[in-house]
Amino acid sequence: MERALPEWFDDAKFGIFVHWTAAAVPAFAPVGASEFDLTSPEGWAQAMGESPYVEWYQNSLAIEGSPVHSHHKATYGDLPYDAFVEEFLGGIRGWDPDVWADLFAASGARYVVLVTKHHDGVALWPSAHRNPFKARWQSERDVVGELAAAVRARGMRFGTYYSGGLDWTFGGLPMRDLKGLIAAIPQTPEYLAYVDAHWRELIERYEPCVLWNDIGYPAAADLPELFEHYYDRVPDGVVNNRFDIIRQTGGMIHADFITPEYSTDAAPGWKWESTRGIGSSFGYNREESPDSYLGVDELVRLVADVVARGGNLLLNVGPAGDGTIPLVQAERVLGLGWWLRTNGDAIYGSRPWHRTDGATADGLPVRYTVTGDALNAIVLGTPSGNTVVLPDVEVKDDATVELLGQGAPLVWRRASTGVEVELRGRPPTGPAITLRFASADRLSR
């Protein structure tokens, strides 16, 4: 399938992911490295047993001796996971989608992707296709539809995540390693019909801008036909590479973008979207202290780095079991949004320069983006004085330079290498400032 990437997705740069599952009721996982960082030195068995992902609570609970298993036995005894599901679904009655949507808009996000069903099989919409094993495991309130309406009313786009590869109500627990994870993907005709009906229902009801599938999909599925159906309904929609990661990234089946997780590694020739939680989990983990979360400075610099290299950032918010977004998460994304209010012109709608990074003469890292005919130099940190020297940049004689957030042009001069820009005093301490060079020739030395 030959299909150009819809421009809106390349322009958006920043989205909010939302993992709100029944596992946010116990809200426990060991705090530490990401699952992928654990896998590399320790192996998959260690990563599965010590997973920092709260939303994997049910699998971690099934692994005897794991931190979750020990915690659960000490805290809840033999209480089944079903009890958390009942509490979670009952609490949805008090959820307010406008509170979420207001926060996401203030964060500067251009799109929101909601987890509509995670691996535990609990659906967040009143589906006509009930779970054959757990008929009550779906929300009678239309969380998906209400959030979609609230998000769109604030000018953002709305996408849907769905776990097509795993649904533990169909079996597969416990998954102790990569082999067990692959074996846990149901391959029965009944499961294929179930997940296919769910995806088509999500498409028809909500017309999501993103189909964000996870883990995989039954091998017998006709994915090209599903995608054609989706594009007919949502012509500017996009599909990720996790329906069949091997064949999609190998070019045998279409994908619009790839999805590094807790990583910013980009693959040449692909549009990419880096996804991660603010902390070490996507779902809310009560064990995480404020120091476990990325600070505002780190988030700003992460966005600048990802965008300079042509990617998007899909940053996750994990509400508590009752739907409350913890203050520690809200303050982080609000801080990022405050920076984007001033510096968004260097982020949204930008494209990479031929050089993605550099440094000022006094050693501050710089990330470069291009917007129209302007070169944006995002200086990561606070200059030590009221001048900034950029050795990597040459500009035309008639170029104008401005500090985003201040309208008037700045004085600049050619330095022995690059250009020297005179600021109106030293900026206040902050994560980054942006110098915009209009009519720059954008040639690196």
Side-chain angles (χ1 to χ4, degrees):
M1 178 189 300
E2 294 293 332
R3 182 174 186 268
L5 180 73
E7 195 170 71
W8 77 263
F9 187 69
D10 209 9
D11 287 345
K13 305 304 181 188
F14 174 49
I16 290 288
F17 214 177
V18 186
H19 278 63
W20 189 34
T21 73
V25 174
F28 177 88
V31 177
S34 78
E35 191 137 331
F36 299 92
D37 290 334
L38 282 171
T39 300
S40 180
E42 305 294 346
W44 274 95
Q46 187 84 2
M48 288 290 190
E50 298 183 7
S51 173
Y53 290 175
V54 160
E55 64 276 12
W56 286 61
Y57 188 99
Q58 195 179 7
N59 185 66
S60 299
L61 175 59
I63 300 175
E64 191 168 352
S66 72
V68 167
H69 181 269
S70 300
H71 168 82
H72 186 91
K73 289 296 182 184
T75 308
Y76 304 106
D78 294 327
L79 188 74
Y81 186 78
D82 297 53
F84 299 137
V85 175
E86 293 300 322
E87 181 176 340
F88 173 69
L89 291 174
I92 287 176
R93 290 190 294 270
W95 166 71
D96 186 346
D98 290 316
V99 172
W100 286 15
D102 284 342
L103 175 65
F104 302 157
S107 78
R110 292 297 173 89
Y111 61 108
V112 174
V113 178
L114 173 68
V115 171
T116 65
K117 179 185 78 73
H118 208 264
H119 310 331
D120 63 5
V122 180
L124 290 186
W125 79 101
S127 176
H129 309 281
R130 287 185 175 269
N131 189 297
F133 307 105
K134 300 281 188 178
R136 295 177 58 187
W137 281 29
Q138 67 177 40
S139 174
E140 297 308 316
R141 184 175 177 185
D142 190 358
V143 173
V144 180
E146 289 186 46
L147 185 60
V151 161
R152 287 166 172 159
R154 289 159 178 80
M156 296 173 285
R157 289 178 178 256
F158 178 79
T160 48
Y161 165 110
Y162 181 90
S163 176
L166 295 177
D167 187 320
W168 294 323
T169 65
F170 284 78
L173 293 174
M175 305 179 314
R176 294 186 171 88
D177 51 27
L178 180 59
K179 183 179 178 181
L181 185 152
I182 294 171
I185 300 174
Q187 300 294 344
T188 64
E190 291 77 16
Y191 181 69
L192 172 56
Y194 179 69
V195 296
D196 191 70
H198 271 176
W199 259 131
R200 291 173 189 273
E201 190 175 43
L202 290 169
I203 292 167
E204 294 300 318
R205 285 193 185 188
Y206 310 113
E207 297 185 343
C209 67
V210 181
L211 296 194
W212 217 107
N213 191 72
D214 203 8
I215 302 296
Y217 214 68
D222 187 347
L223 291 175
E225 190 280 327
L226 177 62
F227 298 165
E228 287 286 359
H229 171 73
Y230 170 56
Y231 295 136
D232 285 344
R233 184 77 177 194
V234 186
D236 64 350
V238 291
V239 170
N240 79 340
N241 69 324
R242 296 197 187 186
F243 285 86
D244 187 330
I245 195 166
I246 293 175
R247 290 196 293 166
Q248 285 182 287
T249 53
M252 291 171 279
I253 296 177
H254 176 75
D256 291 297
F257 65 100
I258 63 172
T259 52
E261 186 168 320
Y262 276 86
S263 168
T264 59
D265 290 338
W270 279 100
K271 175 63 186 181
W272 57 287
E273 177 192 72
S274 177
T275 185
R276 60 158 298 146
I278 305 174
S280 61
S281 174
F282 286 91
Y284 170 59
N285 186 358
R286 194 174 284 109
E287 300 301 302
E288 289 192 299
S289 69
D291 290 341
S292 301
Y293 291 90
L294 294 178
V296 174
D297 286 15
E298 292 171 294
L299 289 176
V300 166
R301 292 164 189 173
L302 177 62
V303 167
D305 181 65
V306 166
V307 171
R309 295 188 291 116
N312 287 11
L313 177 66
L314 186 63
L315 182 68
N316 186 78
V317 167
D322 64 357
T324 303
I325 295 176
L327 180 61
V328 67
Q329 297 181 33
E331 66 181 3
R332 293 331 198 246
V333 298
L334 286 171
L336 175 58
W338 184 253
W339 184 85
L340 285 168
R341 282 173 64 96
T342 298
N343 297 274
D345 285 347
I347 301 296
Y348 307 122
S350 68
R351 297 293 182 267
W353 192 33
H354 65 83
R355 181 185 180 120
T356 60
D357 63 278
T360 65
D362 58 353
L364 291 177
V366 180
R367 297 295 181 266
Y368 295 108
T369 66
V370 175
T371 311
D373 68 347
L375 172 64
N376 308 299
I378 306 171
V379 180
L380 307 184
T382 306
S384 57
N386 64 349
T387 60
V388 176
V389 178
L390 295 168
D392 305 317
V393 176
E394 289 184 353
V395 296
K396 296 177 181 179
D397 291 339
D398 64 349
T400 59
V401 185
E402 67 172 302
L403 179 68
L404 290 188
Q406 299 179 2
L410 300 173
V411 174
W412 68 273
R413 62 188 68 87
R414 299 192 187 282
S416 56
T417 59
V419 297
E420 179 178 314
V421 180
E422 188 175 319
L423 306 176
R424 295 185 185 86
R426 187 186 178 197
T429 301
I433 62 171
T434 304
L435 294 171
R436 166 167 283 193
F437 296 82
S439 300
D441 63 7
R442 302 196 297 272
L443 294 176
S444 174
R445 284 186 176 271

